[in-house]
Amino acid sequence: MMTTQIDEVLSGAVERGEIPGVVAMAVDEGGLIYEGAFGQRALPGGAPMTMDTVFRIASMTKAITSVAALQLVEQGKLTLDGPVPAIDPALAKPQVLVLFDRSGRPLLRPARRAITLRHLLTHTAGFSYEMWNRNMLQYNGISKLPPMSSGRRAAMRVPLMFDPGDRWEYGINIDWVGRLVEEVSGERLDIYMRDHIFAPLGMKDTGFQPTEAQRARQAQIHDRDGNALTPQPFEEVTTPEFFAGGGGLYSTAADYITFLQMLLHGGTENGATILGPAMVKTLGENQIGRLHAGIMKTTTPARTLDVNFFPDIPVGWGLATLINEMRGPNGRSMGSLSWAGLFNTYYWLDPVRRIAAVILMQILPFVDKPAVAVYGAYEKAICEMVDAG
């Protein structure tokens, strides 16, 4: 009966025209407790959503890249609190943007302390995204650096917006973590993840470059203009200079829920140990003290609205995810782990109820109001179902 109610939450949003389509899954420690697919991969008249539909998961990539780096920490190849390996001047000799002079020229100074892996994993290193930082937007406009979407390493060679450790700000930190994984392991990020995370867990539909068969199952991104949802052409698949550890993966609900189950089970799933239990525990603990995470003010409303998932709740950041430090408005327990992807894909892991869930859509802008409403209603329904037993 409760699963029928969850079906109605998701199918109702499709039938009302609020979203083009959605796929959702939830698990507890014993396995699957919910799955559903509704709507279409593309409007109008596209193929129906199915449980194996492929999505661009954007920043849901970050948690996987973080786990890859933590594997190397466990092996003694990286440290959390020493200066990161000097693989690039942007990391070895970071510069902080102070201001722009009257002619618009950026004025920089050396950072007051070294960048650590903990800084990068917790978004306290000083790097930012131009879609949530006007100074970064202005700097990119005059620096003529290639955009991050180009896949060129030069795109990452930007100044910090503040000294490492001074505050939390969402940025390209995990892209740098991906580069560290490559340099320290000696493998391209896609190969490293395939061999050390995806293959051991059986995540057969997750990667940076979809195959033809996966492309045939991929949902298209829809731009929202008022009440209209317009599908966009598929992005070109290329081989970049670096694979975006901060947001480049394609995946399915089943694959990503397997990754979350691994964390739920203390680092082991499908007979494969990905991380040790002590590291998984540390990953889920707030690492930024009293710094407040999760607030981002848009500079590009077509791409993202303002972000603040928990406006009345203290929020921290672990070594991979956002952590709400009080009970969430839709029922998730204090200490739950969560984050999202630019195209309105979301997940959370509730360590008290011992459940994990994903809900995947393909819509811009990020935190699209109808999509977030569906996410909230889905979360509430999952929590009520679990609590009802």
Side-chain angles (χ1 to χ4, degrees):
M1 181 62 71
M2 291 297 293
T3 57
T4 300
Q5 293 176 9
I6 301 170
D7 287 347
E8 291 173 354
V9 165
L10 302 179
S11 63
V14 170
E15 291 164 4
R16 293 188 297 272
E18 296 167 359
I19 59 174
V22 59
V23 176
M25 290 186 75
V27 295
D28 62 12
E29 286 191 303
L32 184 70
I33 59 174
Y34 177 78
E35 65 177 3
F38 303 92
Q40 298 170 329
R41 294 175 184 163
L43 296 176
M49 286 288 195
T50 55
M51 293 308 303
D52 64 350
T53 295
V54 173
F55 293 82
R56 293 180 69 184
I57 62 170
S59 286
M60 285 172 57
T61 303
K62 287 180 168 65
I64 298 175
T65 304
S66 298
V67 164
L70 293 175
Q71 289 179 327
L72 297 174
V73 172
E74 287 187 324
Q75 296 167 24
K77 297 177 181 178
L78 283 171
T79 65
L80 282 170
D81 295 312
V84 294
I87 65 171
D88 191 279
L91 293 183
K93 297 180 180 179
Q95 299 286 304
V96 177
L97 177 64
V98 179
L99 49 80
F100 297 93
D101 66 18
R102 290 183 178 180
S103 67
R105 183 170 61 94
L107 301 180
L108 309 175
R109 63 164 174 80
R112 295 191 175 101
R113 58 190 70 92
I115 295 172
T116 69
L117 179 60
R118 193 185 303 272
H119 290 144
L120 291 171
L121 292 173
T122 58
H123 293 278
T124 59
F127 291 109
S128 66
Y129 279 126
E130 67 174 36
M131 72 179 72
W132 289 295
N133 187 299
R134 293 195 179 281
N135 286 337
M136 192 71 251
L137 183 66
Q138 183 175 347
Y139 180 87
N140 282 345
I142 62 178
S143 69
K144 306 304 180 185
L145 290 174
M148 286 292 291
S149 60
S150 71
R152 295 172 58 188
R153 292 180 180 177
M156 300 171 63
R157 297 187 178 116
V158 295
L160 309 180
M161 297 296 104
F162 53 88
D163 286 297
D166 277 5
R167 67 176 191 260
W168 182 93
E169 183 169 336
Y170 198 51
I172 64 169
N173 303 277
I174 312 302
D175 291 296
W176 279 117
V177 172
R179 288 283 299 113
L180 288 170
V181 169
E182 290 186 324
E183 293 293 333
V184 171
S185 71
E187 298 179 84
R188 274 187 355 195
L189 187 61
D190 60 332
I191 302 300
Y192 181 91
M193 287 184 171
R194 182 196 68 191
D195 292 347
H196 299 279
I197 299 176
F198 302 150
L201 291 177
M203 296 170 63
K204 59 183 177 60
D205 279 322
T206 303
F208 289 99
Q209 296 173 305
T211 65
E212 289 185 12
Q214 289 163 345
R215 180 69 105 187
R217 290 184 275 120
Q218 186 180 338
Q220 288 179 239
I221 294 164
H222 292 70
D223 285 343
R224 188 184 298 280
D225 183 7
N227 292 325
L229 287 162
T230 304
Q232 301 303 306
F234 286 135
E235 66 291 349
E236 182 182 358
V237 177
T238 62
T239 299
E241 292 181 3
F242 74 96
F243 287 96
L249 285 175
Y250 298 76
S251 192
T252 61
D255 273 13
Y256 207 87
I257 209 75
T258 299
F259 173 76
L260 295 178
Q261 275 186 302
M262 176 272 296
L263 296 178
L264 193 65
H265 291 156
T268 298
E269 183 67 19
N270 290 341
T273 296
I274 305 301
L275 279 182
M279 186 62 80
V280 174
K281 181 176 182 294
T282 302
L283 178 154
E285 296 171 339
N286 182 28
Q287 302 289 320
I288 64 172
R290 295 184 178 181
L291 298 180
H292 192 79
I295 299 175
M296 296 116 79
K297 298 292 185 180
T298 185
T299 65
T300 52
R303 298 283 286 172
T304 176
L305 305 181
D306 290 346
V307 179
N308 188 358
F309 291 117
F310 301 102
D312 301 315
I313 294 175
V315 175
W317 199 273
L319 293 178
T321 66
L322 189 78
I323 303 172
N324 56 288
E325 299 192 295
M326 294 177 63
R327 184 177 184 273
N330 296 307
R332 73 180 61 176
S333 302
M334 178 178 69
S336 292
L337 316 182
S338 65
W339 199 232
L342 182 68
F343 309 114
N344 286 283
T345 59
Y346 301 92
Y347 71 89
W348 81 96
L349 186 157
D350 186 323
V352 176
R353 290 187 178 88
R354 308 299 296 164
I355 62 171
V358 295
I359 179 168
L360 307 178
M361 296 164 278
Q362 297 284 263
I363 303 169
L364 281 174
F366 182 46
V367 293
D368 170 71
K369 290 181 179 179
V372 170
V374 175
Y375 171 31
Y378 170 65
E379 178 189 333
K380 183 178 180 181
I382 289 289
C383 291
E384 288 176 350
M385 180 182 72
V386 172
D387 292 347

